[in-house]
Amino acid sequence: MREAGLEVMRDRIGNLFGLWRVGAAQAAPLMLGSHIDTVINAGIYDGCYGVLAALEVVEALRAAGLAPERPLLVAAFTNEEGVRYAPDMMGSLVYAGGLDVAAALATIGTDGTVLGEELARTGQAGPHEPGFLRPWAYLELHIEQGPILAHEGVPIGAVENLQGISWQRVTIEGVANHAGTTPMALRQDAGHAAARVVTFLRERAARDAAPAVATVGCMAFTPNAINVIPSRAVFTVDLRDPDAARLRAAEEELARFLETLAAEEGVSISTEHLARFEPVVFDPVLVATIEDAAAARGLRARRMTSGAGHDAQMIARLCPAAMIFVPSRDGISHNPREYTAPAALEAGANLLLDVSRRLTATG
Ligand code: HGY
Ligand code: MN
Ligand code: MN
């Protein structure tokens, strides 16, 4: 960012910004960005691509001697993935005023560390209050992370909405007992009860053609020994749906299933909500601008829903926001096999440039 001539700033939650003070000094900036944190064993494009492309837009404009009518702000939001410290999109959520910064800094990670201490230890805690620069509009370029664009052979996704997200941690307490001597009818098996939840969620999400998805991504048994009936199972549930009412119905049906399960299996079950975000609709004018700019560049574009959560859904609380997707080969993401071809990356970045120029009257 410094090499690109940007003023580098960090806020208290670790969000990183590069400001190009150009155009009308008092005008609110056009923000371009994404995130640079990843999941475990991640791919190399999720997040980083959008931040680097935003930087490239600034460098291309400056190299061409072009001057936007308003400042440009490159953003790299912290903890978008939420894997170590829930919820996901935490940095942009705090920036948008959806989570108190002190509460966020006090978050305990899956490794027992405290977020604020880790940000200080790694030199990522900055002085600025989150939200210190209110953007005029926000654009995020990102890989699709799903199969649609690649399957249809369409190079650009004009993302018009983003599905709702519900994250929970479920703890099932049973009774440890001997794997060999305990008759099946006498078991209070937390492991089996957990497995029934996984099957319930899978069958419910697959039940109808609706776009609902459900994932149990983490699970741990105690004492986790081959010949001991698990006394405890702790696992996570990730539910998503573009429709707010259907997402609520999924949460309610899971709660009812857990009650029935506890009685049937002789276990006790508790849940902890880790994240809950309503579906978001992006700004129609920005989405149309993305489509127009794609057409002007001879790029086919299709409107689509984002299955993944993104910082754009949080910044949409502050200003008009929209996203541009480029294809993910075989729809693979959150996996080292994540891949997008260089020509596709370039098309996305050029479109980000074109839309940025349209929005800031940069000739
Ligand atoms: O969970 C998500 O959808 C995002 O990758 N944080
Ligand atoms: Mn991402
Ligand atoms: Mn991700």
Side-chain angles (χ1 to χ4, degrees):
M1 286 180 172
R2 286 198 183 94
E3 285 168 21
L6 301 183
E7 199 178 318
V8 178
M9 294 170 278
R10 272 196 194 277
D11 71 11
R12 291 177 57 202
I13 195 69
N15 293 319
L16 175 65
F17 301 97
L19 178 62
W20 177 14
R21 288 190 191 278
V22 64
Q26 299 316 314
L30 169 62
M31 186 188 267
L32 308 174
S34 193
H35 62 97
I36 57 176
D37 66 304
T38 72
V39 297
I40 305 162
N41 293 344
I44 63 170
Y45 303 92
D46 174 4
C48 292
Y49 168 51
V51 175
L52 289 174
L55 203 45
E56 181 63 28
V57 164
V58 169
E59 292 183 313
L61 290 173
R62 292 173 74 103
L66 294 170
E69 68 178 9
R70 65 177 59 251
L72 287 192
L73 186 61
V74 175
F77 290 106
T78 193
N79 192 27
E80 189 275 347
E81 295 296 356
V83 168
R84 186 178 174 199
Y85 301 96
D88 55 349
M89 287 74 73
M90 185 193 270
S92 49
L93 177 65
V94 169
Y95 198 85
L99 176 62
D100 171 65
V101 61
L105 292 171
T107 306
I108 306 296
T110 50
D111 56 0
T113 57
V114 180
L115 176 57
E117 293 171 11
E118 282 298 279
L119 287 172
R121 183 178 68 80
T122 54
Q124 297 183 79
H128 293 282
E129 281 305 316
F132 71 103
L133 260 179
R134 192 177 184 91
W136 168 73
Y138 177 72
L139 286 175
E140 181 164 357
L141 174 61
H142 204 288
I143 54 172
E144 177 199 338
Q145 301 182 283
I148 296 170
L149 293 176
H151 177 69
E152 294 180 357
V154 174
I156 297 296
V159 187
E160 54 188 350
N161 65 326
L162 189 148
Q163 64 181 345
I165 301 175
S166 164
W167 279 6
Q168 296 178 62
R169 181 182 293 120
V170 180
T171 300
I172 299 181
E173 301 281 359
V175 175
N177 215 326
H178 196 295
T181 59
T182 312
M184 297 310 284
L186 299 182
R187 296 181 176 213
Q188 292 165 266
D189 183 342
H192 174 248
R196 286 186 59 186
V197 180
V198 176
T199 304
F200 165 80
L201 288 170
R202 170 74 182 218
E203 288 170 357
R204 185 187 182 283
R207 183 174 61 198
D208 45 32
V213 289
T215 311
V216 175
C218 311
M219 186 174 285
F221 286 169
T222 301
N224 201 37
I226 188 167
N227 58 357
V228 179
I229 299 167
S231 55
R232 177 182 299 143
V234 181
F235 57 94
T236 57
V237 176
D238 177 322
L239 301 173
R240 310 206 189 187
D241 199 307
D243 178 280
R246 279 204 313 255
L247 182 59
R248 261 195 312 280
E251 290 174 317
E252 287 160 5
E253 238 186 276
L254 171 60
R256 284 196 299 276
F257 178 76
L258 292 178
E259 279 174 23
T260 309
L261 182 70
E264 287 174 1
E265 296 288 339
V267 296
S268 63
I269 301 179
S270 58
T271 59
E272 178 194 355
H273 284 273
L274 300 176
R276 183 63 171 84
F277 302 125
E278 291 298 325
V280 168
V281 176
F282 288 130
D283 180 76
V285 172
L286 285 183
V287 176
T289 306
I290 291 167
E291 286 181 307
D292 289 349
R297 206 173 254 275
L299 292 169
R300 277 179 63 209
R302 60 107 77 204
R303 288 185 174 229
M304 59 195 302
T305 297
S306 175
H310 295 287
D311 294 310
Q313 77 187 86
M314 301 309 174
I315 305 304
R317 300 183 186 194
L318 293 176
C319 64
M323 296 188 73
I324 300 170
F325 277 173
V326 293
S328 293
R329 185 176 63 187
D330 302 327
I332 297 285
S333 184
H334 283 187
N335 178 324
R337 285 177 45 219
E338 187 179 274
Y339 180 78
T340 298
L345 296 171
E346 192 175 322
N350 281 331
L351 186 59
L352 184 69
L353 173 65
D354 294 350
V355 177
S356 301
R357 292 179 65 179
R358 286 180 179 223
L359 294 177
T360 59
T362 310

